[in-house]
């Protein structure tokens, strides 16, 4: 099975939202490196940036200057201060050269996402290689974060566009983010938890949130961990086959 990619876009809010996101992405938060953290401090030196390697405070200051120059000296309480996109590879790509994939992710971001790209940082010190793209949604002197991200349908169109423009060219499959039901969901959830027994994330303070997310939809985590579903006849079945199989009901179309 070709490994699946993971594409997530989220809103960054709050007065210090951009600075806090940057401190995480730049690994400037000492509390994330302590015992029980899911960050491997020995691998942190392998992280790299494809944009200006400035500090979190320097980039945050740049974002503030850009807003002021656009005539925006005050922001609304619920203002979207930035958009953050996470591009993730499956864990079995850890030992491969990740730079070509993430360079294509960067080029795609510059081409399709409106606004000012503040940073593009790649993390190799967690289970799956992934990148954080942080964008100031400043377009025509207006902050348009809500409009750029749009609703669920718009987000799906971003995912589809990224898949066809980048992921498929690196041998990656779609992330079938569908909810499973019954025994199938329970089995996949157990497989994910078994795989994570030795993973530091289980000792992290964020584990309860991760555990709830896995219970709600274990499929993306199974895909990133390279887990296949065992069928009754002893053969292993890919998740793409699972999600498009007719089973007892109607076929489920891929996103």
């Amino acid at each position: 099975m070709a490994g699946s990619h993971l594409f997530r876009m989220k809103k960054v809010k709050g007065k210090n939202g951009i600075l806090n996101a940057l401190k995480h992405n730049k690994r400037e938060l000492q509390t994330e490196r302590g015992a029980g953290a899911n960050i491997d401090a020995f691998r942190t030196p392998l992280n790299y940036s494809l944009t200006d390697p400035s500090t979190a405070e320097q980039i945050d200051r740049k974002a503030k200057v850009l807003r002021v120059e656009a005539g925006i000296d005050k922001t609304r309480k619920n203002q979207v201060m930035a958009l953050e996109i996470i591009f993730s590879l499956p864990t079995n790509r850890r030992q491969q050269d990740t730079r070509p994939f993430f360079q294509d992710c960067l080029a795609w971001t510059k081409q399709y996402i409106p606004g000012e790209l503040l940073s593009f940082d790649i993390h190799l010190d967690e289970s799956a290689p992934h990148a954080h793209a942080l964008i100031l949604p400043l377009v025509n002197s207006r902050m348009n974060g809500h409009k750029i991200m749009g609703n669920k349908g718009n987000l799906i169109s971003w995912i589809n566009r990224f898949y066809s423009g980048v992921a498929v060219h690196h041998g990656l499959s779609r992330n079938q983010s569908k909810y499973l039901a019954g025994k199938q969901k329970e089995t996949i959830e157990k497989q994910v938890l078994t795989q994570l027994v030795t993973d530091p994330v289980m000792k992290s303070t964020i584990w309860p949130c991760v555990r709830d997310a896995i219970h709600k939809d274990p499929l993306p985590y199974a895909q990133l961990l390279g887990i296949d579903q065992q069928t009754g006849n002893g053969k292993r079945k890919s998740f793409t086959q699972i999600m498009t199989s007719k089973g007892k009901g109607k076929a489920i179309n891929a996103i």
Side-chain angles (χ1 to χ4, degrees), residues 188-230:
I188 295 174
E189 180 181 354
K190 287 180 178 178
Q191 289 176 322
V192 170
L193 295 177
T194 299
Q195 188 93 352
L196 291 177
V197 165
T198 58
D199 195 294
V201 71
M202 276 196 164
K203 298 180 180 179
S204 170
T205 55
I206 67 169
W207 172 243
C209 294
V210 176
R211 177 66 182 84
D212 289 345
I214 293 172
H215 177 70
K216 183 177 181 181
D217 186 8
L219 188 54
Y221 301 89
Q223 290 177 313
L224 288 175
L225 291 170
I227 298 172
D228 283 337
Q229 175 64 43
Q230 186 77 38

Side-chain angles (χ1 to χ4, degrees), residues 184 237 241-242 244-252:
Q184 191 178 75
K237 191 175 183 181
Q241 292 172 322
I242 291 171
T244 57
S245 172
K246 291 183 178 180
K248 295 182 179 180
K250 296 180 180 180
I252 302 176

